[in-house]
Amino acid sequence: MGAVSSRAARLAATAMAAVLAGTMVSGHTPGAAAAPTAQTPLTVTAKQQSWVFRDGDGREVTLRGFNVSGSTKLYENALLPFRGVADAARSAQAMRDLTGANVIRFLISWEGVQPSPSTIDYAYLDKAVEQIRAFTSRGIRVLVDYHQDLYSSYLFDQGSWYTGDGAPEWVIKAGNYPKESCGICFLWGQNMQTNEAVRRAAYDFWRDRRISTAAGEIGVQQAFLHQATAAMRHIKQRLPQEEFASIIGFDPFNEPYDGGLSGQSGLEWEKTYLMPFYQRFRAAMDAAGWASKPAFVEPLVFWNTGFFEEGGLATVGALGTRYVFNSHFYDGARMTIDPSPASDGVYDPAMNEIRERARTLATAPFVSEFGNKLSGNGSDRTPWMVRAMYQAMDSGVPGKNWWQDAAAGGDVLSSTQWHWDIYSGRHRELMNRNPDKVQTEGDAWNDEDFSVVSADASGVVSTRLDQAVLDRLYPSAVAGDLLAFAYEDLARSGYGGAGRQQAWMTVPSSMPNVAALVKDRRFGVVVWREPAAAPSAPTELHLPASFTAATTVVVGDVATRVGLPASGPAAIATETGSPTAHRLLLAPSGATPGTVHATLVVSAATAPTPAQLAAAAAELAAWKSHRFPT
């Protein structure tokens, strides 16, 4: 409350008509701010029976990164992910160095943008832009997200067990909602189904209830769209053109829920209320200069949770490429009643459902949230839960069957994990503005603890989850059509190097030399088809830190060798914006259009002999010809 009121006091009120119309980083020494990195815009394009992201060179792009962050829900952070640009830069550098991430989902708040009905807080937006630029300058793309949970913190009493975020105080006051109560709730999300105050507020939003404000009467959804238009226009104006190219789109509304179906099914509610809202937001994007960027639209939040499943945008018709099907995935069963550990292929059905739904909607899929808690009951299973989620996003076929059925794995899913918070465990948030309920642990929001990183007092960022899970081999840009990909990360089942280490990918007995080469080693396989026109840029894969230039082994038709030089058909280069993270560049020479390539990449501490390499290459070539005939 104090942060909002002091901010409002600094601002000159504007008329409603105006609303309408470096520091130490991950052990690195301090340095100058990174120079802006030019990137080509992404587009959503058709690929056989699916849709994918492509860059300006026509390469199929996989986006992997994190949400920044739950701190946007906190008043101690002034409703922004970071407390200043230095912290944003520290976080961006650590993310690039430690994980090779190439995308973030950057949260902003309606309350932060519009603290009063007649005010757009351009100072808030300028701070957001400065923090965004800390990432774009390091080659990291950005999905901007209007975040809300349980609609608003102002629906909750000071003594409540729960809180929310999103809508500003003036909207809630105008709504005159009943006293909130979740009843017997074990998870904060149950408020969406049992808390009458939360449900009525959401109900009003979707039906654009007219409310009386100090600036006059307006529909609540209309007010949201007006401020969103102003915010998007300002963000575009404040970002240099080359950095605006790094913005991949906008997520209009986090985790939409109905607030009352009025006798309709979830699918009917999506068609009647949610999709029309998305179309209005799409028009707002166009008006604000975002016409070339897609809206990343989410289905009804419960569509794939394992409980109370409804919705999924299955009846709204084809979305097309001006939208992206934007899903979340959390394992509702293992978060509550299922005590079993995750294992090889356990999340393939869930991720394949996302792939298939995107295909029916005629657009690309994106998983903008997934993960699990890092402390408390059940957190001992988190490392392999997250490992299994990444595995299923890489390929929809279990590792034990991958070599036999790689072509059926589907497209690699782009995603942002929840979440990345350098303040983890060091917060000081007054829950619901109550000075007697100071939250310091975990995420400082509804008892959650999901951050995969933390920072010490000197600002050095370290991972809390096994870096083998987070720093992954992935095909960041493929010159042509990606046909199959899989990665064996050998991540341990516990924390801090503890727990079991077990391979999930099983090489068939028909490939004994490949099996010997990859035994007890991290490895990945990428298969792709040459485009019709000669590519203007190479295929790129992010290399985890364990894949060093001297010891990485490449096997395939592009090159077969031990060690990666700085040039040639298989070469190593640093990741844009990082002095320590690396990528593998694969550039076939003189390949005809339609040629299928297969490359095996192995982190090998002991180099194989030339004979072993040649034998493995022959097996891989035979496998490729059999599984991916041209």
mmCIF file of all heavy atoms in Angstrom, residues 343-346 348 387-388 391-392 395-406 485-488 503-508 523:
data_model
loop_
_atom_site.group_PDB
_atom_site.id
_atom_site.type_symbol
_atom_site.label_atom_id
_atom_site.label_comp_id
_atom_site.label_asym_id
_atom_site.label_seq_id
_atom_site.Cartn_x
_atom_site.Cartn_y
_atom_site.Cartn_z
ATOM 1 N N SER A 343 9.592 -40.563 -13.616
ATOM 2 C CA SER A 343 10.491 -41.498 -14.272
ATOM 3 C C SER A 343 10.473 -41.248 -15.775
ATOM 4 O O SER A 343 9.750 -40.380 -16.269
ATOM 5 C CB SER A 343 10.079 -42.944 -13.960
ATOM 6 O OG SER A 343 8.738 -43.174 -14.380
ATOM 7 N N ASP A 344 11.245 -42.036 -16.479
ATOM 8 C CA ASP A 344 11.371 -41.919 -17.930
ATOM 9 C C ASP A 344 10.004 -41.915 -18.611
ATOM 10 O O ASP A 344 9.206 -42.834 -18.448
ATOM 11 C CB ASP A 344 12.204 -43.094 -18.442
ATOM 12 C CG ASP A 344 12.278 -43.160 -19.952
ATOM 13 O OD1 ASP A 344 12.267 -42.089 -20.596
ATOM 14 O OD2 ASP A 344 12.350 -44.287 -20.494
ATOM 15 N N GLY A 345 9.722 -40.858 -19.366
ATOM 16 C CA GLY A 345 8.517 -40.791 -20.189
ATOM 17 C C GLY A 345 7.232 -40.495 -19.459
ATOM 18 O O GLY A 345 6.166 -40.450 -20.092
ATOM 19 N N VAL A 346 7.289 -40.218 -18.139
ATOM 20 C CA VAL A 346 6.052 -40.080 -17.376
ATOM 21 C C VAL A 346 5.222 -38.876 -17.823
ATOM 22 O O VAL A 346 3.991 -38.887 -17.704
ATOM 23 C CB VAL A 346 6.368 -40.016 -15.864
ATOM 24 C CG1 VAL A 346 7.040 -38.691 -15.490
ATOM 25 C CG2 VAL A 346 5.116 -40.218 -15.026
ATOM 26 N N ASP A 348 5.245 -37.591 -21.005
ATOM 27 C CA ASP A 348 5.011 -37.565 -22.451
ATOM 28 C C ASP A 348 3.538 -37.338 -22.809
ATOM 29 O O ASP A 348 3.238 -36.524 -23.691
ATOM 30 C CB ASP A 348 5.502 -38.868 -23.094
ATOM 31 C CG ASP A 348 7.018 -38.941 -23.156
ATOM 32 O OD1 ASP A 348 7.672 -37.882 -23.087
ATOM 33 O OD2 ASP A 348 7.554 -40.055 -23.272
ATOM 34 N N ARG A 387 13.280 -32.907 -14.423
ATOM 35 C CA ARG A 387 14.015 -33.620 -15.469
ATOM 36 C C ARG A 387 13.047 -34.272 -16.463
ATOM 37 O O ARG A 387 13.224 -34.170 -17.678
ATOM 38 C CB ARG A 387 14.903 -34.685 -14.823
ATOM 39 C CG ARG A 387 15.655 -35.550 -15.826
ATOM 40 C CD ARG A 387 16.302 -36.754 -15.150
ATOM 41 N NE ARG A 387 17.114 -37.526 -16.087
ATOM 42 C CZ ARG A 387 17.660 -38.711 -15.816
ATOM 43 N NH1 ARG A 387 17.467 -39.258 -14.624
ATOM 44 N NH2 ARG A 387 18.382 -39.339 -16.729
ATOM 45 N N ALA A 388 12.019 -34.918 -15.927
ATOM 46 C CA ALA A 388 11.055 -35.607 -16.794
ATOM 47 C C ALA A 388 10.243 -34.624 -17.626
ATOM 48 O O ALA A 388 9.846 -34.930 -18.756
ATOM 49 C CB ALA A 388 10.139 -36.488 -15.958
ATOM 50 N N GLN A 391 12.509 -33.635 -20.427
ATOM 51 C CA GLN A 391 12.623 -34.759 -21.351
ATOM 52 C C GLN A 391 11.414 -34.831 -22.277
ATOM 53 O O GLN A 391 11.548 -35.021 -23.483
ATOM 54 C CB GLN A 391 12.755 -36.069 -20.566
ATOM 55 C CG GLN A 391 12.909 -37.288 -21.454
ATOM 56 C CD GLN A 391 12.478 -38.579 -20.778
ATOM 57 O OE1 GLN A 391 11.501 -38.613 -20.035
ATOM 58 N NE2 GLN A 391 13.215 -39.657 -21.032
ATOM 59 N N ALA A 392 10.210 -34.667 -21.702
ATOM 60 C CA ALA A 392 8.988 -34.758 -22.501
ATOM 61 C C ALA A 392 8.824 -33.567 -23.432
ATOM 62 O O ALA A 392 8.175 -33.681 -24.477
ATOM 63 C CB ALA A 392 7.779 -34.885 -21.587
ATOM 64 N N SER A 395 11.118 -34.472 -26.440
ATOM 65 C CA SER A 395 10.532 -35.488 -27.313
ATOM 66 C C SER A 395 9.381 -36.158 -26.582
ATOM 67 O O SER A 395 9.487 -36.436 -25.383
ATOM 68 C CB SER A 395 11.582 -36.537 -27.687
ATOM 69 O OG SER A 395 10.987 -37.614 -28.386
ATOM 70 N N GLY A 396 8.324 -36.439 -27.314
ATOM 71 C CA GLY A 396 7.160 -37.084 -26.722
ATOM 72 C C GLY A 396 7.246 -38.592 -26.708
ATOM 73 O O GLY A 396 6.214 -39.269 -26.593
ATOM 74 N N VAL A 397 8.449 -39.143 -26.812
ATOM 75 C CA VAL A 397 8.681 -40.585 -26.782
ATOM 76 C C VAL A 397 9.607 -40.901 -25.616
ATOM 77 O O VAL A 397 10.629 -40.219 -25.443
ATOM 78 C CB VAL A 397 9.327 -41.066 -28.110
ATOM 79 C CG1 VAL A 397 9.714 -42.535 -28.028
ATOM 80 C CG2 VAL A 397 8.379 -40.830 -29.271
ATOM 81 N N PRO A 398 9.309 -41.897 -24.779
ATOM 82 C CA PRO A 398 10.204 -42.244 -23.668
ATOM 83 C C PRO A 398 11.606 -42.577 -24.141
ATOM 84 O O PRO A 398 11.801 -43.089 -25.256
ATOM 85 C CB PRO A 398 9.531 -43.474 -23.033
ATOM 86 C CG PRO A 398 8.108 -43.392 -23.446
ATOM 87 C CD PRO A 398 8.103 -42.753 -24.804
ATOM 88 N N GLY A 399 12.583 -42.315 -23.290
ATOM 89 C CA GLY A 399 13.965 -42.588 -23.656
ATOM 90 C C GLY A 399 14.229 -44.032 -23.996
ATOM 91 O O GLY A 399 15.038 -44.330 -24.891
ATOM 92 N N LYS A 400 13.544 -44.935 -23.312
ATOM 93 C CA LYS A 400 13.776 -46.361 -23.575
ATOM 94 C C LYS A 400 13.350 -46.754 -24.989
ATOM 95 O O LYS A 400 13.822 -47.766 -25.514
ATOM 96 C CB LYS A 400 13.032 -47.204 -22.547
ATOM 97 C CG LYS A 400 11.517 -47.061 -22.603
ATOM 98 C CD LYS A 400 10.847 -47.895 -21.521
ATOM 99 C CE LYS A 400 9.320 -47.741 -21.576
ATOM 100 N NZ LYS A 400 8.663 -48.529 -20.502
ATOM 101 N N ASN A 401 12.466 -45.965 -25.607
ATOM 102 C CA ASN A 401 11.977 -46.268 -26.955
ATOM 103 C C ASN A 401 12.455 -45.273 -28.014
ATOM 104 O O ASN A 401 12.088 -45.403 -29.182
ATOM 105 C CB ASN A 401 10.443 -46.278 -26.976
ATOM 106 C CG ASN A 401 9.851 -47.304 -26.037
ATOM 107 O OD1 ASN A 401 10.441 -48.349 -25.803
ATOM 108 N ND2 ASN A 401 8.690 -46.992 -25.482
ATOM 109 N N TRP A 402 13.222 -44.280 -27.601
ATOM 110 C CA TRP A 402 13.472 -43.158 -28.509
ATOM 111 C C TRP A 402 14.164 -43.589 -29.794
ATOM 112 O O TRP A 402 13.759 -43.185 -30.889
ATOM 113 C CB TRP A 402 14.296 -42.071 -27.819
ATOM 114 C CG TRP A 402 14.410 -40.842 -28.675
ATOM 115 C CD1 TRP A 402 13.504 -39.824 -28.769
ATOM 116 C CD2 TRP A 402 15.461 -40.530 -29.597
ATOM 117 N NE1 TRP A 402 13.937 -38.894 -29.687
ATOM 118 C CE2 TRP A 402 15.131 -39.305 -30.203
ATOM 119 C CE3 TRP A 402 16.653 -41.173 -29.960
ATOM 120 C CZ2 TRP A 402 15.949 -38.703 -31.158
ATOM 121 C CZ3 TRP A 402 17.457 -40.578 -30.913
ATOM 122 C CH2 TRP A 402 17.113 -39.353 -31.511
ATOM 123 N N TRP A 403 15.186 -44.387 -29.703
ATOM 124 C CA TRP A 403 15.927 -44.762 -30.905
ATOM 125 C C TRP A 403 15.045 -45.523 -31.888
ATOM 126 O O TRP A 403 15.229 -45.429 -33.099
ATOM 127 C CB TRP A 403 17.152 -45.599 -30.535
ATOM 128 C CG TRP A 403 18.218 -44.831 -29.828
ATOM 129 C CD1 TRP A 403 18.396 -44.711 -28.478
ATOM 130 C CD2 TRP A 403 19.254 -44.057 -30.430
ATOM 131 N NE1 TRP A 403 19.475 -43.918 -28.200
ATOM 132 C CE2 TRP A 403 20.035 -43.500 -29.379
ATOM 133 C CE3 TRP A 403 19.618 -43.785 -31.748
ATOM 134 C CZ2 TRP A 403 21.149 -42.695 -29.617
ATOM 135 C CZ3 TRP A 403 20.734 -42.982 -31.985
ATOM 136 C CH2 TRP A 403 21.478 -42.441 -30.930
ATOM 137 N N GLN A 404 14.086 -46.280 -31.375
ATOM 138 C CA GLN A 404 13.210 -47.041 -32.250
ATOM 139 C C GLN A 404 12.070 -46.200 -32.816
ATOM 140 O O GLN A 404 11.494 -46.549 -33.849
ATOM 141 C CB GLN A 404 12.600 -48.239 -31.500
ATOM 142 C CG GLN A 404 13.612 -49.296 -31.076
ATOM 143 C CD GLN A 404 14.256 -48.990 -29.733
ATOM 144 O OE1 GLN A 404 14.131 -47.888 -29.209
ATOM 145 N NE2 GLN A 404 14.952 -49.967 -29.181
ATOM 146 N N ASP A 405 11.728 -45.094 -32.166
ATOM 147 C CA ASP A 405 10.530 -44.345 -32.555
ATOM 148 C C ASP A 405 10.766 -42.838 -32.521
ATOM 149 O O ASP A 405 9.857 -42.063 -32.230
ATOM 150 C CB ASP A 405 9.387 -44.716 -31.594
ATOM 151 C CG ASP A 405 8.017 -44.538 -32.225
ATOM 152 O OD1 ASP A 405 7.942 -44.405 -33.465
ATOM 153 O OD2 ASP A 405 7.024 -44.516 -31.485
ATOM 154 N N ALA A 406 11.986 -42.407 -32.829
ATOM 155 C CA ALA A 406 12.348 -40.989 -32.700
ATOM 156 C C ALA A 406 11.465 -40.079 -33.537
ATOM 157 O O ALA A 406 11.126 -38.965 -33.117
ATOM 158 C CB ALA A 406 13.809 -40.795 -33.081
ATOM 159 N N PHE A 485 14.804 -34.858 -31.672
ATOM 160 C CA PHE A 485 15.845 -34.450 -30.733
ATOM 161 C C PHE A 485 15.613 -35.168 -29.414
ATOM 162 O O PHE A 485 14.466 -35.375 -28.995
ATOM 163 C CB PHE A 485 15.828 -32.929 -30.503
ATOM 164 C CG PHE A 485 16.784 -32.496 -29.421
ATOM 165 C CD1 PHE A 485 18.150 -32.468 -29.656
ATOM 166 C CD2 PHE A 485 16.325 -32.146 -28.158
ATOM 167 C CE1 PHE A 485 19.041 -32.096 -28.650
ATOM 168 C CE2 PHE A 485 17.198 -31.769 -27.155
ATOM 169 C CZ PHE A 485 18.564 -31.736 -27.402
ATOM 170 N N ALA A 486 16.693 -35.549 -28.763
ATOM 171 C CA ALA A 486 16.621 -36.108 -27.416
ATOM 172 C C ALA A 486 17.932 -35.844 -26.704
ATOM 173 O O ALA A 486 18.985 -35.721 -27.344
ATOM 174 C CB ALA A 486 16.336 -37.609 -27.450
ATOM 175 N N TYR A 487 17.853 -35.759 -25.373
ATOM 176 C CA TYR A 487 19.048 -35.464 -24.571
ATOM 177 C C TYR A 487 19.030 -36.322 -23.319
ATOM 178 O O TYR A 487 18.007 -36.391 -22.620
ATOM 179 C CB TYR A 487 19.070 -33.979 -24.207
ATOM 180 C CG TYR A 487 20.208 -33.575 -23.286
ATOM 181 C CD1 TYR A 487 21.525 -33.909 -23.602
ATOM 182 C CD2 TYR A 487 19.970 -32.853 -22.130
ATOM 183 C CE1 TYR A 487 22.572 -33.536 -22.766
ATOM 184 C CE2 TYR A 487 21.013 -32.466 -21.300
ATOM 185 C CZ TYR A 487 22.319 -32.815 -21.612
ATOM 186 O OH TYR A 487 23.350 -32.443 -20.795
ATOM 187 N N GLU A 488 20.144 -36.966 -23.050
ATOM 188 C CA GLU A 488 20.331 -37.709 -21.808
ATOM 189 C C GLU A 488 21.158 -36.859 -20.864
ATOM 190 O O GLU A 488 22.357 -36.653 -21.080
ATOM 191 C CB GLU A 488 21.049 -39.038 -22.091
ATOM 192 C CG GLU A 488 21.405 -39.823 -20.836
ATOM 193 C CD GLU A 488 20.205 -40.068 -19.939
ATOM 194 O OE1 GLU A 488 19.354 -40.882 -20.330
ATOM 195 O OE2 GLU A 488 20.117 -39.423 -18.868
ATOM 196 N N ALA A 503 20.552 -43.458 -16.354
ATOM 197 C CA ALA A 503 20.270 -43.073 -17.736
ATOM 198 C C ALA A 503 18.848 -43.486 -18.099
ATOM 199 O O ALA A 503 18.391 -44.577 -17.742
ATOM 200 C CB ALA A 503 21.264 -43.737 -18.674
ATOM 201 N N TRP A 504 18.133 -42.608 -18.801
ATOM 202 C CA TRP A 504 16.781 -42.916 -19.257
ATOM 203 C C TRP A 504 16.756 -43.296 -20.737
ATOM 204 O O TRP A 504 15.818 -43.938 -21.192
ATOM 205 C CB TRP A 504 15.852 -41.723 -19.011
ATOM 206 C CG TRP A 504 15.479 -41.552 -17.573
ATOM 207 C CD1 TRP A 504 15.796 -42.379 -16.536
ATOM 208 C CD2 TRP A 504 14.706 -40.492 -17.005
ATOM 209 N NE1 TRP A 504 15.283 -41.894 -15.351
ATOM 210 C CE2 TRP A 504 14.599 -40.734 -15.614
ATOM 211 C CE3 TRP A 504 14.106 -39.354 -17.519
ATOM 212 C CZ2 TRP A 504 13.908 -39.889 -14.750
ATOM 213 C CZ3 TRP A 504 13.412 -38.498 -16.675
ATOM 214 C CH2 TRP A 504 13.311 -38.765 -15.299
ATOM 215 N N MET A 505 17.761 -42.899 -21.497
ATOM 216 C CA MET A 505 17.810 -43.265 -22.911
ATOM 217 C C MET A 505 18.565 -44.577 -23.073
ATOM 218 O O MET A 505 19.702 -44.713 -22.603
ATOM 219 C CB MET A 505 18.472 -42.170 -23.743
ATOM 220 C CG MET A 505 17.604 -40.936 -23.930
ATOM 221 S SD MET A 505 18.367 -39.749 -25.054
ATOM 222 C CE MET A 505 18.273 -40.628 -26.611
ATOM 223 N N THR A 506 17.952 -45.538 -23.741
ATOM 224 C CA THR A 506 18.545 -46.856 -23.943
ATOM 225 C C THR A 506 18.872 -47.049 -25.413
ATOM 226 O O THR A 506 17.977 -47.074 -26.263
ATOM 227 C CB THR A 506 17.575 -47.961 -23.489
ATOM 228 O OG1 THR A 506 17.191 -47.722 -22.131
ATOM 229 C CG2 THR A 506 18.221 -49.327 -23.611
ATOM 230 N N VAL A 507 20.155 -47.193 -25.720
ATOM 231 C CA VAL A 507 20.579 -47.423 -27.097
ATOM 232 C C VAL A 507 20.332 -48.895 -27.440
ATOM 233 O O VAL A 507 20.703 -49.789 -26.675
ATOM 234 C CB VAL A 507 22.063 -47.077 -27.276
ATOM 235 C CG1 VAL A 507 22.488 -47.273 -28.736
ATOM 236 C CG2 VAL A 507 22.336 -45.639 -26.839
ATOM 237 N N PRO A 508 19.709 -49.175 -28.586
ATOM 238 C CA PRO A 508 19.393 -50.568 -28.926
ATOM 239 C C PRO A 508 20.654 -51.402 -29.176
ATOM 240 O O PRO A 508 21.718 -50.872 -29.503
ATOM 241 C CB PRO A 508 18.551 -50.440 -30.199
ATOM 242 C CG PRO A 508 18.902 -49.115 -30.766
ATOM 243 C CD PRO A 508 19.207 -48.232 -29.595
ATOM 244 N N PHE A 523 24.692 -37.063 -23.408
ATOM 245 C CA PHE A 523 24.738 -36.994 -24.862
ATOM 246 C C PHE A 523 23.381 -36.550 -25.407
ATOM 247 O O PHE A 523 22.347 -36.655 -24.733
ATOM 248 C CB PHE A 523 25.134 -38.350 -25.462
ATOM 249 C CG PHE A 523 24.078 -39.413 -25.351
ATOM 250 C CD1 PHE A 523 23.148 -39.624 -26.375
ATOM 251 C CD2 PHE A 523 23.995 -40.212 -24.215
ATOM 252 C CE1 PHE A 523 22.178 -40.603 -26.276
ATOM 253 C CE2 PHE A 523 23.023 -41.200 -24.100
ATOM 254 C CZ PHE A 523 22.111 -41.384 -25.135
#
